[in-house]
């Protein structure tokens, strides 16, 4: 694991911490924390995979996996500088290694727990959520929850939010949904996403993530005017740090969704 300290870091205590599967996931799922900390510091991130096996545009078609991983690492470090992160932890694992650690071997979870111990009791820990369509995102979420449960209670985050990347979270019942108002973050978000040239060249994550935040704000309430111009949705998963199982949590969210429907099922 590499611990990178951006030159733009403010040297503040980490109040907002994110764990993501891939390089560029943090900038989508944890924009709330990045935006909150941008002026005075306090945001850090851990990225689990090296990203070497990512999709490629024609421009990068001849680049091998090892070199692609280096390109993506450089992009993630540029984003950390642009976002004024306090710290960036790069685990540089393969997706297969993350999945094995999530569903079996505990070595990587303990390594991640050490990152949490180094940054104890943040206000918010931003993660992927277990409803995500991407299996590596789900594995990253489960691995992080496993690591949190290795901590003492006074080291655990005050809140854990599971955020959207490869599945929107507009569908859960409003009582289960955390709507993070990131109005005014468009310029910062664009600057962050522009760092990931290799990914934007094949998938327009920069455009799509901005559009999703705007759509969330407009479609948040059907009978009220817009009070925000950009929202990031999450699920409050804090209970998973204190004995609740991921399976029971997911069943409750799905049951609440069913009860929220206008047609009884």
């Amino acid at each position: 694991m590499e611990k990178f300290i951006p030159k733009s870091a403010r040297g503040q205590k980490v109040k907002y911490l994110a764990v993501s599967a891939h390089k560029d996931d943090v900038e989508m799922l944890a924009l709330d924390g990045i935006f909150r900390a941008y002026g005075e510091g306090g945001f850090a991130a851990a990225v689990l995979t090296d990203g070497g096996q990512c999709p490629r545009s024609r421009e990068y078609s001849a680049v091998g996996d090892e070199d692609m991983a280096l390109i993506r690492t450089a992009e993630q470090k540029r984003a950390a500088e642009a976002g004024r992160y306090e710290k960036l932890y790069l685990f540089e694992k393969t997706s297969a290694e993350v999945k094995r650690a999530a569903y079996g071997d505990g070595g990587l979870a303990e390594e991640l727990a050490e990152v949490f111990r180094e940054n104890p009791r943040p206000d918010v820990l931003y993660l992927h959520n277990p409803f995500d369509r991407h299996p590596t995102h789900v594995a990253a979420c489960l691995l992080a929850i496993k690591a949190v449960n290795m901590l003492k209670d006074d080291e655990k985050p005050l809140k854990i939010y599971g955020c959207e990347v490869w599945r929107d979270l507009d569908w859960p019942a409003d009582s289960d949904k955390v709507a993070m108002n990131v109005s005014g973050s468009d310029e910062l978000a664009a600057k962050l996403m522009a760092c990931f040239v290799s990914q934007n060249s094949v998938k327009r994550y920069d455009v799509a993530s901005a559009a999703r935040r705007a759509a969330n704000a407009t479609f948040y309430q059907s009978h009220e005017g817009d009070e925000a111009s950009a929202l990031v949705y999450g699920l409050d998963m804090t209970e998973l740090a204190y004995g609740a199982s991921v399976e029971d949590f997911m069943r409750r969210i799905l049951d609440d969704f069913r009860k929220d429907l206008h047609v009884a099922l």
Side-chain angles (χ1 to χ4, degrees), residues 18-27 29-30 45-49 76 88-89 91 98 112 126-128 136-137 140-141 144 165:
V19 177
S20 78
H22 305 106
K23 295 154 184 172
D24 79 3
D25 288 342
V26 164
E27 290 67 30
L29 70 88
V47 181
L48 298 178
T49 68
Q76 184 63 72
L88 173 64
Y89 300 88
F91 282 74
V98 172
L112 183 56
Y126 302 89
L127 304 177
H128 295 285
T136 309
H137 290 186
C141 171
V165 178

Side-chain angles (χ1 to χ4, degrees), residues 12 76 102 114 254:
Q12 299 297 312
Q76 184 63 72
E114 282 302 313
L254 291 172

Side-chain angles (χ1 to χ4, degrees), residues 103-126:
Y103 298 104
D105 172 48
L108 183 54
E110 180 56 47
E111 195 175 352
L112 183 56
E114 282 302 313
V115 170
F116 293 159
R117 293 185 186 109
E118 186 179 311
N119 305 282
R121 210 64 173 159
D123 289 355
V124 184
L125 172 63
Y126 302 89

Side-chain angles (χ1 to χ4, degrees), residues 2-223:
E2 178 185 0
K3 178 181 173 181
F4 173 69
I5 307 296
K7 294 178 181 178
S8 59
R10 305 294 182 87
Q12 299 297 312
K13 178 186 182 299
V14 172
K15 297 172 63 178
Y16 308 100
L17 180 60
V19 177
S20 78
H22 305 106
K23 295 154 184 172
D24 79 3
D25 288 342
V26 164
E27 290 67 30
M28 289 184 272
L29 70 88
L31 180 60
D32 175 68
I34 300 169
F35 188 42
R36 286 173 180 267
Y38 186 71
E40 57 188 43
F43 179 83
V47 181
L48 298 178
T49 68
D50 61 12
Q53 295 181 316
C54 64
R56 291 155 167 75
S57 64
R58 183 178 302 174
E59 179 183 356
Y60 294 92
S61 60
V63 179
D65 289 355
E66 188 173 328
D67 288 336
M68 197 72 220
L70 293 174
I71 290 170
R72 297 199 65 188
T73 294
E75 291 174 342
Q76 184 63 72
K77 287 180 177 179
R78 282 196 291 274
E81 291 283 6
R84 302 175 182 172
Y85 301 1
E86 299 295 341
K87 306 167 189 175
L88 173 64
Y89 300 88
L90 294 160
F91 282 74
E92 304 291 4
K93 303 297 183 181
T94 65
S95 292
E97 287 174 317
V98 172
K99 291 171 187 173
R100 282 197 298 270
Y103 298 104
D105 172 48
L108 183 54
E110 180 56 47
E111 195 175 352
L112 183 56
E114 282 302 313
V115 170
F116 293 159
R117 293 185 186 109
E118 186 179 311
N119 305 282
R121 210 64 173 159
D123 289 355
V124 184
L125 172 63
Y126 302 89
L127 304 177
H128 295 285
N129 78 84
F131 294 101
D132 198 292
R133 286 169 50 212
H134 197 307
T136 309
H137 290 186
V138 175
C141 171
L142 299 180
L143 179 65
I145 294 299
K146 184 185 291 189
V148 167
N149 278 284
M150 294 177 174
L151 306 177
K152 299 175 182 176
D153 284 355
D154 62 0
E155 297 172 326
K156 294 179 179 180
L158 299 179
K159 285 289 184 181
I160 301 175
Y161 293 154
C163 302
E164 54 192 355
V165 178
W166 271 101
R167 176 167 279 135
D168 290 350
L169 287 174
D170 60 338
W171 61 269
D174 285 349
S175 58
D176 291 323
K177 192 161 50 187
V178 179
M180 292 167 266
N181 189 339
V182 292
S183 302
S185 68
D186 289 356
E187 183 176 348
L188 173 60
K191 182 166 66 172
L192 293 170
M193 294 306 294
C195 296
F196 299 98
V197 175
S198 69
Q199 295 309 286
N200 294 332
S201 68
V202 66
K203 298 284 287 183
R204 292 309 304 265
Y205 294 120
D206 53 340
V207 175
S209 58
R212 172 186 279 166
R213 292 189 295 271
N216 285 348
T218 293
F219 289 103
Y220 181 50
Q221 296 292 344
S222 60
H223 293 81

